[in-house]
Amino acid sequence: MEGDKYFMTLACVTAKRSDDPVTKVGACIVNENGIIVGVGYNDMPAGCDNWAKSTGALEHKKNYVCHAEFNAYINKTCADVKNCKIYVTLFPCNECAKIIIKSGIQEVIYLSDKRCDKLYTQISKIMLKRANVTYRQLLLLENMEINFAEFLRDEAQCKKRKHFSVENM
Ligand SMILES: Nc1ccn([C@H]2C[C@H](O)[C@@H](COP(=O)(O)O)O2)c(=O)n1
């Protein structure tokens, strides 16, 4: 599997960890050598696990949630993410654009731009352009399934060769 598709697939799988009932987002930061240095999904800070939207601003989820890009940055496994790329399943908002720019990430690769009409997306694009952070959409349209059984296929035969088994020692 080539790099772009692999890293975006990882962002998509990571998004599945999110408890947001409406929008699950995943992000994956990759360094210049193609090494993954951070992954994250949208979640709530400890003690704030309320995904409601219909209540007033004091309880609205958007004022509490930690975005996937923020979490990928927080979870980074290296001192800095200068010149890295970020793969994200949904275009970053203006707050995440600030983190992206200030952290030295050089490219944003996104899957969906479903909030393109929102002010925060437009401001995000203005900021990224001004900071010379490039962004491009990765058009992945196919369905991908994981067949776990495929990875277990040869295990039964191996287990039959009992004399090699540590469990029989
Ligand atoms: N780039 C983004 C955009 C959004 N999110 C998170 C924040 C919320 O949990 C959810 C958006 O909620 P909606 O307005 O669709 O109900 O997605 C993110 O992590 N990264």
Side-chain angles (χ1 to χ4, degrees), residues 5-54:
K5 189 171 174 182
Y6 169 67
F7 297 125
M8 191 59 87
T9 302
L10 187 67
C12 292
V13 173
T14 304
K16 291 188 178 290
R17 291 274 296 149
S18 174
D19 288 328
D20 189 328
V22 179
T23 306
K24 298 177 191 301
V25 183
C28 171
I29 302 175
V30 179
N31 75 10
E32 290 166 294
N33 299 320
I35 306 294
I36 295 159
V37 294
V39 289
Y41 55 89
N42 51 329
D43 70 357
M44 288 292 187
C48 303
D49 212 5
N50 176 10
W51 291 99
K53 278 179 91 174
S54 53

Side-chain angles (χ1 to χ4, degrees), residues 20 22-23 25 42 53 61 65 67-69 90-92 115:
D20 189 328
V22 179
T23 306
V25 183
N42 51 329
K53 278 179 91 174
K61 74 166 184 181
V65 67
H67 284 200
E69 302 90 321
L90 181 57
F91 198 92
R115 302 279 188 252

